[in-house]
Each structure stands twice: as structure tokens, then as C-alpha cells.
Amino acid sequence: MNIFDHLKNITTQKGEYLGDDGWNNWMINRFLSMDPDYCEVVNIVQKNTWQMSGEHLYNLYKDLIPQQYKFLKYIKVQNKIEYDEEQIYAIRDYFEISKKEAKEYISMMSEDEVENITSQLNGK
């Protein structure tokens, strides 16, 4: 068994629970939340049932989700942006913000602005 067998069983077959082999509550929630029709249901369910056993969560989803085939496309990051550490620290110090916020600032600023701030703080 794998996660896709469990998802197919929840959405189309509506059979008995297939066992804990390949079952992961977090991944089941994640895949089901990729469909806009199921997103709100999954959000409510996962807040209240994160510690629930796999069989109980399966039965809950089996009853909540209509029997129909849905392609549950897994959405992942397309391109991971690499940032220059020197620029991150310069922006962080200049605006007095966190590293995470500095990366957001860099993505919104022009290259000239980032270079100017970096050179000001590094004395170049």
C-alpha cells in the first residue's frame, strides 16, 4: 500500500480502511487540501484531529468527501531563489529586520538599491 492507494480509497472506492501501511495523517491532509473543493474541510479537520488514528481519520474523510474521481495535484515550489548572504545581512542590518524579512525585501527591491545599501554598510 502507498499513500495514493489510500487517497483513491477515500475519494472513489469508499471501501474499508487499508491499514496503517503507507498511511500518514499529515500527507493525507496535504494531498486532499490541494483540491480547492476540499481545502476548507481539510483545514477544519486537521485542526481538530491531528492526533487521531489513521483508521478514524480515514472514516471521517470517507464520510465527508463525495465519491468522485479528483486529480489531487501536489503543488511544490517551482524555483528556489538563492540570495547572497552579504546582501541579506546588509538589508537586515539597514532596516533592522529578520533574515526572512530581508529576503522578502531583496525580492521587492531593485538590484541597484540592494547594491547601494550593501556597499554603504560594508564601506565599499
Side-chain angles (χ1 to χ4, degrees), residues 29 33 38-49 61:
N29 287 333
S33 70
Y38 304 155
C39 190
E40 289 184 43
V41 170
V42 172
N43 187 37
I44 292 168
V45 168
Q46 74 181 356
K47 286 180 184 176
N48 301 308
T49 60
Y61 276 136

Side-chain angles (χ1 to χ4, degrees), residues 2-13:
N2 62 33
I3 191 166
F4 303 107
D5 294 328
H6 290 290
L7 290 167
K8 186 176 180 181
N9 204 24
I10 289 170
T11 57
T12 59
Q13 296 172 344

Side-chain angles (χ1 to χ4, degrees), residues 5-18 32 38 57-70:
D5 294 328
H6 290 290
L7 290 167
K8 186 176 180 181
N9 204 24
I10 289 170
T11 57
T12 59
Q13 296 172 344
K14 303 289 185 181
E16 293 298 316
Y17 181 61
L18 301 173
L32 289 174
Y38 304 155
L57 185 61
Y58 167 79
N59 288 325
L60 180 62
Y61 276 136
K62 184 176 84 169
D63 293 338
L64 289 174
I65 293 177
Q67 183 173 0
Q68 62 183 354
Y69 174 77
K70 286 273 194 167

Side-chain angles (χ1 to χ4, degrees), residues 56-114:
H56 290 107
L57 185 61
Y58 167 79
N59 288 325
L60 180 62
Y61 276 136
K62 184 176 84 169
D63 293 338
L64 289 174
I65 293 177
Q67 183 173 0
Q68 62 183 354
Y69 174 77
K70 286 273 194 167
F71 178 70
L72 303 170
K73 183 177 181 177
Y74 189 81
I75 301 169
K76 59 183 178 180
V77 175
Q78 294 294 328
N79 297 324
K80 187 172 182 177
I81 300 171
E82 296 292 328
Y83 295 98
D84 182 10
E85 288 293 318
E86 184 179 346
Q87 291 178 342
I88 293 171
Y89 288 112
I91 297 297
R92 183 194 69 180
D93 294 342
Y94 185 80
F95 290 107
E96 298 178 359
I97 55 176
S98 69
K99 282 178 67 174
K100 182 179 179 182
E101 290 172 319
K103 290 177 184 178
E104 291 175 13
Y105 278 44
I106 291 171
S107 67
M108 293 184 285
M109 297 170 69
S110 70
E111 288 183 35
D112 290 337
E113 290 174 314
V114 174

